[in-house]
Amino acid sequence: MNDSVLVLSIASALVAGTPILLAALGEIVTERAGVMNLGVEGMMLVGAVSAFWAGVHTGNLAVALLVGGLAGSLLSLVHAVLAITLRVNQTVSGLSLVIVGSGLSAFIGNVGDSPLLEAPNGVDVDPLLPAALADVPVLGPIVFGHDIVVYLAFAAVAVTGRVLYRTTFGLSLRAVGEDPAAADAAGLPVTRIRYLATAIGGFGAGVGGGYLVLAVLGTWQTGMTAGAGWIAVALVILAGWRPWLALIGAYVFGALRGLGFTLQIAQVDIPSDFLTMIPFVAAYLVVVLVSASPTRARRVAAPAALGEPYRREER
Amino acid sequence: MLSLVVALGLGAAILAVTGADPLEAYRTMFDASLNGTAAIERTLTYATPLILTGLAAAVSFRMRTYNIGAEGQLFMGAIAASGVALALPADLPTPLILLAVIGAGAVAGAVWAGFAAIPKALLGTDEIITTLMLNFVALAFMNYLIFGSMSFWRDPDRPVPQGKQIPDHAVLPAISGRLHIGFAIAVVLAVVLWLLLRNTTFGFRLRTIGDSHRAATYAGIGVPAATIAVMSISGALAGVAGAIEVSGVTDRLDPKALAIELGYTGIVIAAVARLHPLGVVPVAALLAAITTAGGSMQSIGVQVEVVVLLQGLIFLAVTAGEFFVTNRLELRRPAAAPQASPPTPATAAGGGGS
């Protein structure tokens, strides 16, 4: 029963959705503070290659993911300087970040005498819970059979949701994203909060990239995110900047990305390139349908000052 | 210019870390991209699609419609153009064939952009997301035609998946050596776009919408119609880039040679050129010079990746440098005469530096 196609594909959807979820969570925090960072794809790549490097050298999953997250944060600070302090166009700055990130990660991955490109994975990603639990029918593989990161990502959603809506810091962060002038007048350090939010976003993307390379793919390949970062950016909008909806969305995209595997088992013959398309077509259709819905929920939820640089002089 | 120096300095540091001699590396890059006729031909050939994708981004960004989809529109243009090139009979006059090839590219690019433009115009759908998602769809579709199936585009005589070579009568004639007539087409389109934006009612409408959406609506400008028009123009330009690459450089539908982020690079080129159509040409040429140098770096033991990195650094440095230019203007503005104009992107001819 635990070998059935459905159970296996749900279980793999949770794993495949986790990197997207982590990146999307980070981007939600960033955008809630009014900073739009389109560089998620680049930050994920740099986070992935850094995490893979750390994994090869330490063999420790926690250290590897931490290094990946910090690398993502570091790259996101470039965007922070450009978008927050220098107030350049955030779309352009974010795209530059993608180009820099893919160049930098390709470079790091292919430098030195024993490049990471050919290196074996240094980290074992084991299930968290004892194997006995994973053998429970149906629930075992789906609920109990995962590694610790899947559960931590789940917890991160709860923490993010709680912090955003139930703490002073979350309120400040959202205030900065909705009306920076008012937030500033109320004494909030707008610039500092935006920097912090951008760094958190970079951390999420970096950890997501790290998990993707260490647990989902297992080897470093140049450009291995293959659009996962962009899916995360789309997911933030689809989820209306809400963490719990992002969780559902990420698992759905995880399922769509894993659909090829599922259909192969079910022996349905669809060219693999069309399977690659599915998540992107789905994201396209959902964005269009959401904008067509009469309630326009996403409009209400979008931070009012998203993508707007804040100038104090203009108060 | 200063930002360029900063970027090259950072690049030199990275090169030194990896054990290469930075000066030697830069000299090799210069020789490969700018020194001599053949080098300049190579650079301008590479600049051609970048000029077009740069224009595609410039025109849409000027109206604050963010078409990030030049990448996918370029693929669709390349698919349509190579299809037409393979299908047309050889006995047609050459100019007609070339016109059909490029026209097919333009139409395909515009139609692909339409998938984002129409929801944007009618429903207000975020075009950044839709155009991006469509890029990946177009890429997978192009891969399918060559790698995933025995399509009309694929060469049936080769065991290794490869596009069918397009016939000689559909290949763009050369201007000089490797440089083909597509470069001239791109430059002419830059001038046409510049005049269109500057001297026509359409251009005025577009700029008004870009400056103030609300004012434009209030003045009775049909924003949805303008959105569709601008996205179509933008998509068509990217589609032409794909057509010209196929018929001038790759000679076949070659996904590996086309999917090199020409569309994304165009966006940054447009930004560095401050969305000025004429500024796009020199910026694209500069970027092309750096990229064509990439291959030469390998001969002295430097990875190609360094060049991508250098490119990114230059983007970042120039983007940051832009701030100092625009900000100085803004700081002066309060003291200037009351009719002081907003910082329009009018002085971008020297877009290569700042």
Side-chain angles (χ1 to χ4, degrees):
Chain A
M1 190 170 196
N2 281 359
D3 297 334
S4 78
V5 173
L6 190 64
V7 170
L8 284 179
S9 31
I10 292 175
S12 74
L14 301 192
V15 174
T18 296
I20 302 173
L21 174 60
L22 290 165
L25 267 187
E27 183 68 9
I28 286 176
V29 173
T30 305
E31 295 200 1
R32 279 285 176 144
V35 180
M36 186 173 65
N37 187 354
L38 292 182
V40 179
E41 181 89 356
M43 299 186 299
M44 279 183 90
L45 279 168
V46 169
V49 77
S50 311
F52 194 75
W53 173 82
V56 167
H57 286 274
T58 66
N60 184 318
L61 178 66
V63 172
L65 290 180
L66 195 66
V67 168
L70 290 177
S73 277
L74 215 59
L75 189 60
S76 77
L77 287 179
V78 174
H79 179 71
V81 171
L82 288 171
I84 303 169
T85 305
L86 299 183
R87 303 193 292 258
V88 303
N89 184 314
Q90 300 191 359
T91 307
V92 173
S93 167
L95 284 166
S96 309
L97 214 59
V98 175
I99 296 174
V100 170
S102 65
L104 188 63
S105 62
F107 173 64
I108 296 173
N110 197 15
V111 81
D113 293 330
S114 54
L116 295 173
L117 258 180
E118 289 141 29
N121 195 354
V123 178
D124 294 324
V125 186
D126 295 322
L128 178 68
L129 301 168
L133 273 172
D135 292 337
V136 174
V138 184
L139 282 183
I142 295 174
V143 180
F144 301 119
H146 297 293
D147 58 77
I148 184 168
V149 183
V150 172
Y151 302 112
L152 283 181
F154 206 91
V157 174
V159 171
T160 310
R162 177 119 197 127
V163 168
L164 277 181
Y165 294 107
R166 295 278 181 272
T167 66
T168 321
F169 174 70
L171 181 65
S172 309
L173 192 135
R174 287 184 293 127
V176 164
E178 296 293 340
D179 190 342
D184 193 14
L188 293 173
V190 175
T191 305
R192 208 181 308 160
I193 290 176
R194 285 189 163 182
Y195 263 84
L196 187 61
T198 309
I200 293 172
F203 192 84
V207 173
Y211 183 72
L212 183 62
V213 72
L214 294 173
V216 182
L217 298 176
T219 55
W220 165 257
Q221 291 146 17
T222 305
M224 57 96 215
T225 45
W230 290 114
I231 291 278
V233 172
L235 179 58
V236 172
I237 296 175
L238 296 179
W241 293 266
R242 280 166 293 201
W244 285 105
L245 285 177
L247 176 89
I248 299 168
Y251 291 156
V252 170
F253 278 114
L256 292 175
R257 276 180 91 102
L259 203 61
F261 168 72
T262 309
L263 290 177
Q264 257 170 19
I265 296 174
Q267 300 194 327
V268 179
D269 191 28
I270 295 182
S272 66
D273 294 306
F274 285 110
L275 296 174
T276 314
M277 277 182 205
I278 289 174
F280 301 105
V281 173
Y284 170 82
L285 290 177
V286 177
V287 177
V288 173
L289 289 176
V290 166
S291 62
S293 73
T295 54
R296 302 235 164 168
R298 73 184 193 94
R299 284 288 169 75
V300 182
L306 183 60
E308 305 279 334
Y310 174 58
R311 282 164 204 197
R312 200 166 202 180
E313 306 87 43
E314 287 176 2
R315 258 197 300 190
Chain B
M1 225 34 219
L2 181 69
S3 16
L4 196 62
V5 173
V6 171
L8 289 177
L10 280 171
I14 292 169
L15 286 168
V17 167
T18 62
D21 176 5
L23 278 180
E24 193 199 340
Y26 283 141
R27 191 172 308 123
T28 317
M29 283 176 73
F30 175 77
D31 283 346
S33 58
L34 294 171
N35 200 1
T37 319
I40 289 174
E41 281 165 13
R42 196 182 311 137
T43 295
L44 292 183
T45 306
Y46 190 76
T48 302
L50 293 177
I51 294 172
L52 290 164
T53 54
L55 292 175
V59 65
S60 72
F61 278 42
R62 187 64 192 85
M63 204 181 83
R64 286 184 194 263
T65 302
Y66 294 101
N67 177 15
I68 316 284
E71 188 83 6
Q73 290 143 18
L74 184 147
F75 299 154
M76 289 319 232
I79 291 167
S82 51
V84 167
L86 290 169
L88 282 182
D91 48 7
L92 290 174
T94 311
L96 196 66
I97 291 179
L98 292 179
L99 208 62
V101 167
I102 293 174
V107 170
V111 167
W112 199 242
F115 279 97
I118 292 170
K120 162 84 174 171
L122 300 182
L123 306 168
T125 312
D126 188 318
E127 76 281 11
I128 294 181
I129 297 303
T130 51
T131 51
L132 257 168
M133 295 302 124
L134 291 168
N135 287 346
F136 291 98
V137 176
L139 176 63
F141 181 59
M142 180 168 70
N143 282 333
Y144 168 73
L145 292 179
I146 300 300
F147 302 114
S149 65
M150 293 307 290
S151 70
F152 175 64
W153 281 261
R154 178 157 157 183
D155 191 341
D157 300 330
R158 303 234 179 192
V160 182
Q162 195 182 21
K164 217 184 283 171
Q165 189 169 1
I166 62 172
D168 286 343
H169 55 259
V171 171
L172 288 175
I175 299 176
S176 146
R178 288 179 48 147
L179 185 61
H180 56 78
I181 202 166
F183 176 71
I185 297 173
V187 173
V188 167
L189 285 174
V191 175
V192 168
L193 194 64
W194 173 58
L195 294 174
L196 182 79
L197 288 180
R198 209 177 72 126
N199 290 346
T200 65
T201 325
F202 176 72
F204 174 72
R205 285 189 183 148
L206 188 154
R207 285 181 286 129
T208 310
I209 296 172
D211 291 337
S212 170
H213 205 282
R214 203 183 297 169
T217 316
Y218 193 65
I221 295 175
V223 177
T227 302
I228 291 177
V230 162
M231 287 287 279
S232 304
I233 293 173
S234 181
L237 285 164
V240 169
I244 284 180
E245 274 303 274
V246 164
S247 130
V249 179
T250 64
D251 289 345
R252 51 170 58 89
L253 186 64
D254 183 350
K256 290 251 159 66
L258 291 167
I260 49 173
E261 310 207 321
L262 293 167
Y264 298 119
T265 312
I267 292 162
V268 190
I269 288 174
V272 172
R274 302 175 80 190
L275 310 186
H276 193 291
L278 297 184
V280 164
V281 178
V283 176
L286 173 76
L287 251 296
I290 295 163
T291 311
T292 49
S296 70
M297 303 275 277
Q298 277 178 308
S299 62
I300 58 164
V302 176
Q303 283 96 341
V304 199
E305 286 88 357
V306 174
V307 177
V308 182
L309 184 57
L310 194 62
Q311 219 180 62
L313 286 174
I314 288 177
F315 285 151
L316 283 179
V318 176
T319 319
E322 281 302 304
F323 162 79
F324 294 102
V325 176
T326 48
N327 203 47
R328 218 173 294 144
L329 284 172
E330 281 170 20
L331 289 179
R332 266 194 226 125
R333 199 163 25 152
Q339 78 272 17
S341 59
T344 47
T347 51
S354 56

